[in-house]
Coordinates of all heavy atoms in Angstrom, one line a residue:
L192 N 77.8 102.1 88.1 CA 78.2 100.9 87.1 C 78.7 101.4 85.8 O 78.1 102.4 85.3 CB 76.9 100.1 86.9 CG 77.1 99.0 86.0 CD1 78.0 97.9 86.7 CD2 75.8 98.3 85.7
A193 N 79.7 100.8 85.4 CA 80.3 101.1 84.0 C 80.6 99.9 83.3 O 80.9 98.8 83.9 CB 81.6 102.0 84.2
F194 N 80.6 99.9 82.0 CA 81.0 98.8 81.2 C 82.3 99.3 80.5 O 82.3 100.4 79.9 CB 80.0 98.3 80.2 CG 78.8 97.7 80.8 CD1 77.5 97.8 80.3 CD2 78.9 97.0 82.1 CE1 76.4 97.2 80.9 CE2 77.8 96.4 82.7 CZ 76.6 96.5 82.1
E195 N 83.4 98.5 80.4 CA 84.5 98.8 79.7 C 84.9 97.9 78.5 O 85.0 96.7 78.7 CB 85.8 98.8 80.7 CG 87.0 99.1 80.0 CD 88.2 99.3 81.0 OE1 88.7 98.3 81.5 OE2 88.6 100.4 81.3
L196 N 84.9 98.5 77.4 CA 85.3 97.8 76.2 C 86.8 97.6 76.1 O 87.5 98.6 76.1 CB 84.8 98.5 75.0 CG 85.3 97.9 73.5 CD1 84.6 96.6 73.3 CD2 84.8 98.9 72.4
K197 N 87.4 96.4 76.2 CA 88.8 96.2 76.1 C 89.3 96.1 74.7 O 89.0 95.1 73.9 CB 89.1 95.0 76.9 CG 90.6 94.7 77.1 CD 91.0 93.5 77.8 CE 92.4 93.2 77.8 NZ 92.8 92.0 78.4
A198 N 90.1 97.0 74.3 CA 90.8 96.9 73.0 C 92.3 96.5 73.2 O 93.0 96.4 72.3 CB 90.8 98.3 72.4
G199 N 92.7 96.3 74.4 CA 94.1 95.9 74.6 C 94.5 96.1 76.1 O 93.8 96.6 76.9
Q200 N 95.8 95.8 76.3 CA 96.4 95.8 77.7 C 97.8 96.2 77.6 O 98.5 95.9 76.7 CB 96.1 94.6 78.5 CG 96.7 93.2 77.7 CD 96.0 92.0 78.0 OE1 95.7 91.8 79.2 NE2 95.7 91.2 77.0
G201 N 98.3 96.6 78.8 CA 99.7 97.0 78.8 C 100.8 95.8 78.8 O 101.8 96.0 78.1
A202 N 100.4 94.7 79.4 CA 101.4 93.7 79.5 C 101.6 93.0 78.1 O 102.8 92.5 77.9 CB 101.0 92.7 80.5
K203 N 100.6 93.0 77.3 CA 100.7 92.3 76.0 C 100.0 92.9 74.9 O 98.9 92.3 74.5 CB 100.5 90.7 76.2 CG 99.3 90.5 77.2 CD 99.2 89.0 77.4 CE 98.1 88.6 78.3 NZ 98.3 89.2 79.6
P204 N 100.2 94.2 74.5 CA 99.5 94.7 73.5 C 99.4 93.9 72.2 O 100.4 93.4 71.8 CB 100.2 96.1 73.3 CG 101.5 96.0 73.9 CD 101.4 94.9 75.0
G205 N 98.3 93.8 71.7 CA 98.1 93.0 70.4 C 97.8 91.6 70.6 O 97.4 90.8 69.7
L206 N 97.8 91.1 71.9 CA 97.4 89.8 72.2 C 96.2 89.8 73.2 O 95.9 90.9 73.8 CB 98.5 89.1 73.0 CG 99.7 88.8 72.3 CD1 100.8 88.0 73.2 CD2 99.6 87.9 71.0
G207 N 95.4 88.7 73.2 CA 94.3 88.6 74.2 C 94.8 88.1 75.5 O 96.0 87.9 75.8
G208 N 93.9 87.9 76.5 CA 94.2 87.6 77.9 C 94.7 86.1 77.8 O 94.3 85.3 77.0
M209 N 95.6 85.8 78.8 CA 96.2 84.5 78.9 C 96.2 84.1 80.4 O 96.5 84.8 81.2 CB 97.7 84.6 78.3 CG 97.9 84.9 76.9 SD 99.6 85.0 76.4 CE 99.4 84.9 74.6
T210 N 95.9 82.7 80.5 CA 96.0 82.1 81.7 C 96.6 80.7 81.6 O 96.7 80.2 80.5 CB 94.6 82.0 82.5 OG1 93.7 81.2 81.7 CG2 94.0 83.4 82.7
V211 N 96.9 80.0 82.7 CA 97.4 78.7 82.6 C 96.4 77.8 83.3 O 95.9 78.1 84.3 CB 98.8 78.5 83.5 CG1 99.2 77.1 83.5 CG2 99.9 79.4 82.8
L212 N 96.1 76.7 82.6 CA 95.0 75.8 83.0 C 95.4 74.4 83.2 O 96.3 74.0 82.5 CB 93.8 75.8 82.1 CG 93.1 77.2 81.8 CD1 92.0 77.0 80.7 CD2 92.6 77.8 83.0
D213 N 94.8 73.7 84.2 CA 95.1 72.2 84.2 C 94.1 71.7 83.2 O 93.2 72.2 82.6 CB 94.8 71.6 85.6 CG 93.4 71.9 86.0 OD1 92.5 71.8 85.3 OD2 93.2 72.0 87.4
P214 N 94.3 70.3 82.8 CA 93.6 69.7 81.8 C 92.0 69.8 82.0 O 91.3 69.9 81.0 CB 94.0 68.2 81.8 CG 95.5 68.3 82.4 CD 95.5 69.4 83.4
A215 N 91.6 69.6 83.2 CA 90.1 69.6 83.4 C 89.5 70.9 83.1 O 88.5 71.0 82.4 CB 89.8 69.2 84.9
D216 N 90.2 72.0 83.6 CA 89.6 73.4 83.3 C 89.7 73.6 81.8 O 88.9 74.3 81.2 CB 90.5 74.4 84.1 CG 90.0 74.4 85.6 OD1 88.8 74.0 85.8 OD2 90.8 74.8 86.4
A217 N 90.9 73.2 81.2 CA 91.0 73.4 79.8 C 90.0 72.7 79.0 O 89.5 73.2 77.9 CB 92.4 72.9 79.3
A218 N 89.5 71.6 79.4 CA 88.5 70.8 78.7 C 87.1 71.5 78.7 O 86.4 71.5 77.7 CB 88.3 69.4 79.4

Side-chain angles (χ1 to χ4, degrees):
L192 178 68
F194 292 151
E195 183 171 70
L196 174 65
K197 181 183 176 184
Q200 58 206 314
K203 41 189 178 292
L206 297 179
M209 292 179 171
T210 61
V211 178
L212 302 178
D213 62 30
D216 286 333

